[in-house]
Amino acid sequence: MANYESKNHRGYHRDRNQRPHQDQRRARQTERVQVEVGQRFPLTIKRMGINGEGIGYYKRMAVFVPGALTNEEAVVEVTSVATRYLRAKVHRIRKTSPHRVEPRDSYADQVGGFELEHLDYPAQLAFKRDVVAQALERYQPEGFHSYDLRPTLGMKDPYGYRNKAQFQVRRNAEGQVEAGLYAERSHDLIDLPTCSVQMPVTMTVMRAVVAMLQDLDMPIYDEEQKSGIVKTLVVRAAAHTDDVQLVFITNSPKLPHKRELLERIANELPQVTSVMQNINPGETSLVWGDDTRHLAGAEAITEKLGDLTFKLSARAFLQLSPAQTEVLYDEAKKALDLQPGQTVVDAYAGIGTIGLSLADVAAEVRGMEIIPEAVDDANANAAANGITNAHYEVGTAEDLLPKWVMAGFRPDAIVVDPPRTGLDATLIETILAIRPSKLVYVSCNPSTLAKDLVDLTADYRVEYIQSVDMMPQTARCEAVVKLTRRQ
């Protein structure tokens, strides 16, 4: 960044991880609290935290209680003790919230992704707006008290929306093949024969393939023995084309009984139009490996968003809710308010979904993504849609953007859609140096959004924050932030 004019941006050198002084005082106050695992006590839930858990206070010490709702009174049982907080579970509820409902999924309190299924949907939408407010209160970017926090945009039917099921596969103690999600804070697999938030076709394919693995006695990965082959099944459906892709994530390139397996898939699951294998050897926290191979059908599936079609390879990222994806990107386009002749950078571009939706107005769209297959998809999607003014490259925004600027390309607008970790610090520095007149931040994590706004508001004013519920029944919240450059 030495080639850019140096600016001492207001607030930029603040500690991005600083905590309010009241947290330090509370920590000192709670040092004397003696609590043991298994201890029970009554607790009033004061509010809900960013992960959807209820929060109350026991002798001024924060207690996090999954499944508890604001204003409920419960007897809780301590499950873990930390220096500054406790974790507990509900033993019994004495006073029930009027917003509590019966979850559709019996395992909703055991695995992640169903944190709010016991909360009625209007209250879920209000919670997600409040999560943004909580994050802003914690990090306090400039002017946050006066931000326009708009009501969360939700779904008419908050079920059956997820276009991808990514389930771990294991054998249980009886030797039966199971596919599902890990229980919270463990590697104990919970088999999911049904799942109300998934598109029905994803579960139909998932359960049929599990039965095939059982019938063919396929070698299933064993974490303890670090042996076996099939680790994970991924089923992704395209809502607007009826394409379905099945991916076997395996511990080795070998796939025993491959011919019989593919024959059964072709005969019993005609809706599956693409079968792939991803190889991810050894013990790793990463689900996907770098080597993806074509087994049958097409190498990709096709989805439609608005007037555009998009090719999806196995590892390409796409939002989980097709209907809400269109809502989210429409909000991003509205916030950017691109004018004819302006240039735009689509950072963290994925398969080009946001940038290509802007190409009909922009003079030029440039984007970047670190996954080569996604970049191939983005450029192919541009060509397939007859878009000639958009181009995507492999690399990080913090590396490519300065190079483009050095070569004479200075964008009028930037839209960023980063992962949950938020923006890279170097990219923030780059944005503040380039100072595009328009900036839109699409966030999937209110905490890192608020942290990034501490720096960005040195040169940008937050016009509004529009929260969008992309994942009903979960505590996840997306938000579109319209920022304009200070004069």
Side-chain angles (χ1 to χ4, degrees):
M1 298 305 301
N3 294 298
Y4 295 120
E5 180 182 356
S6 176
K7 296 188 69 176
N8 184 17
H9 295 288
R10 210 163 53 250
Y12 185 76
H13 294 293
R14 289 173 59 183
D15 180 1
R16 290 165 56 81
N17 295 303
Q18 66 184 357
R19 294 177 180 271
H21 294 301
Q22 56 264 36
D23 283 359
Q24 298 173 5
R25 290 197 300 271
R26 180 170 290 157
R28 290 194 295 270
Q29 291 168 345
T30 57
E31 284 176 357
R32 297 185 296 275
V33 177
Q34 298 297 315
V35 186
E36 296 180 352
V37 171
Q39 182 175 334
R40 294 175 182 171
F41 49 78
L43 189 73
T44 298
I45 304 302
K46 299 296 186 182
R47 61 187 177 89
M48 292 176 67
I50 60 174
N51 297 311
E53 70 280 70
I55 301 177
Y57 293 91
Y58 176 71
K59 297 182 180 180
R60 297 185 178 180
M61 195 171 198
V63 186
F64 296 89
V65 189
L69 301 176
T70 302
N71 295 326
E72 288 191 328
E73 296 175 5
V75 175
V76 303
E77 180 178 318
V78 176
T79 56
S80 67
V81 179
T83 303
R84 299 182 180 180
Y85 61 88
L86 307 173
R87 293 192 182 277
K89 63 182 180 181
V90 174
H91 175 62
R92 74 175 187 275
I93 298 176
R94 290 174 164 178
K95 178 185 174 184
T96 302
S97 167
H99 298 293
R100 179 176 286 276
V101 295
E102 188 67 26
R104 293 192 184 184
D105 298 290
S106 60
Y107 47 78
D109 60 347
Q110 300 178 60
V111 299
F114 303 87
E115 300 87 0
L116 300 183
E117 202 176 7
H118 59 300
L119 181 65
D120 68 45
Y121 195 53
Q124 288 187 34
L125 297 180
F127 161 79
K128 295 189 179 190
R129 181 182 180 276
D130 184 60
V131 165
V132 177
Q134 284 187 49
L136 294 171
E137 183 69 40
R138 179 184 179 190
Y139 289 99
Q140 302 188 359
E142 186 169 336
F144 75 98
H145 282 303
S146 61
Y147 289 177
D148 177 10
L149 300 185
R150 299 184 173 180
T152 307
L153 300 176
M155 300 185 71
K156 291 182 179 179
D157 180 7
Y159 290 95
Y161 63 88
R162 292 181 72 127
N163 58 11
K164 184 167 77 169
Q166 183 170 287
F167 289 176
Q168 306 302 313
V169 183
R170 299 292 183 266
R171 285 192 188 274
N172 63 20
E174 290 73 39
Q176 297 297 306
V177 178
E178 297 182 332
L181 303 174
Y182 290 128
E184 290 280 10
R185 302 179 184 280
S186 81
H187 266 223
D188 297 330
L189 191 74
I190 305 296
D191 189 44
L192 302 187
T194 63
C195 185
S196 68
V197 296
Q198 288 290 150
M199 290 174 58
V201 68
T202 64
M203 293 304 294
T204 298
V205 172
M206 180 68 68
R207 301 317 303 184
V209 173
V210 167
M212 294 175 194
L213 297 179
Q214 181 75 41
D215 292 347
L216 294 171
D217 196 24
M218 295 284 284
I220 306 301
Y221 185 68
D222 185 311
E223 283 186 297
E224 292 185 2
Q225 300 297 323
K226 298 180 178 56
S227 62
I229 291 179
V230 181
K231 285 183 167 183
T232 307
L233 293 177
V234 183
V235 181
R236 177 153 62 180
H240 297 289
T241 65
D242 295 329
D243 284 351
V244 177
Q245 184 177 67
L246 169 64
V247 183
F248 294 92
I249 299 181
T250 61
N251 186 43
S252 78
K254 295 180 181 179
L255 190 61
H257 308 295
K258 180 167 68 174
R259 181 178 59 80
E260 299 98 314
L261 182 61
L262 293 177
E263 284 179 356
R264 286 194 60 175
I265 292 170
N267 293 330
E268 299 174 32
L269 296 170
Q271 61 269 59
V272 174
T273 57
S274 171
V275 185
M276 308 292 289
Q277 179 183 4
N278 177 267
I279 301 156
N280 187 20
E283 187 177 10
T284 171
S285 60
L286 300 176
V287 174
W288 293 84
D290 293 329
D291 185 2
T292 303
R293 302 182 182 184
H294 176 229
L295 297 183
E299 293 195 24
I301 60 176
T302 301
E303 180 62 289
K304 291 183 178 179
L305 295 174
D307 296 328
L308 302 176
T309 60
F310 293 92
K311 173 187 173 185
L312 299 172
S313 60
R315 293 182 63 202
F317 172 77
L318 183 69
Q319 298 281 356
L320 288 172
S321 172
Q324 289 296 87
T325 297
E326 294 191 37
V327 173
L328 183 74
Y329 292 167
D330 283 347
E331 288 299 319
K333 190 172 183 178
K334 185 192 308 179
L336 204 59
D337 189 26
L338 207 64
Q339 299 301 306
Q342 291 185 322
T343 57
V344 61
V345 165
D346 177 13
Y348 306 93
I351 59 172
T353 43
I354 295 180
L356 296 181
S357 71
L358 302 168
D360 60 335
V361 177
E364 183 180 1
V365 176
R366 293 193 187 188
M368 67 283 285
E369 177 58 64
I370 60 172
I371 298 175
E373 298 98 316
V375 172
D376 291 342
D377 287 350
N379 286 317
N381 289 331
N385 287 283
I387 296 171
T388 59
N389 61 334
H391 175 70
Y392 292 86
E393 294 184 22
V394 178
T396 64
E398 52 270 21
D399 287 339
L400 288 175
L401 190 52
K403 292 180 181 178
W404 292 345
V405 172
M406 292 291 291
F409 175 79
R410 186 175 288 266
D412 299 299
I414 296 178
V415 55
V416 295
D417 185 9
R420 290 185 60 78
T421 50
L423 297 178
D424 181 271
T426 305
L427 177 56
I428 292 178
E429 186 179 353
T430 303
I431 291 171
L432 293 176
I434 296 172
R435 301 186 76 235
S437 59
K438 297 178 178 182
L439 175 63
V440 167
Y441 191 135
V442 180
S443 167
C444 61
N445 185 341
S447 292
T448 52
L449 166 65
K451 186 196 296 187
D452 290 342
L453 287 178
V454 171
D455 299 329
L456 291 173
T457 51
D459 264 5
Y460 287 86
R461 180 175 60 253
V462 173
E463 299 292 339
Y464 63 79
I465 301 179
Q466 176 64 70
S467 48
V468 179
D469 187 17
M470 298 294 293
M471 296 178 66
Q473 318 310 326
T474 79
R476 296 287 183 90
C477 177
E478 304 267 339
V480 175
V481 188
K482 178 180 176 67
L483 300 109
T484 54
R485 187 179 64 199
R486 299 181 189 276
Q487 299 303 319

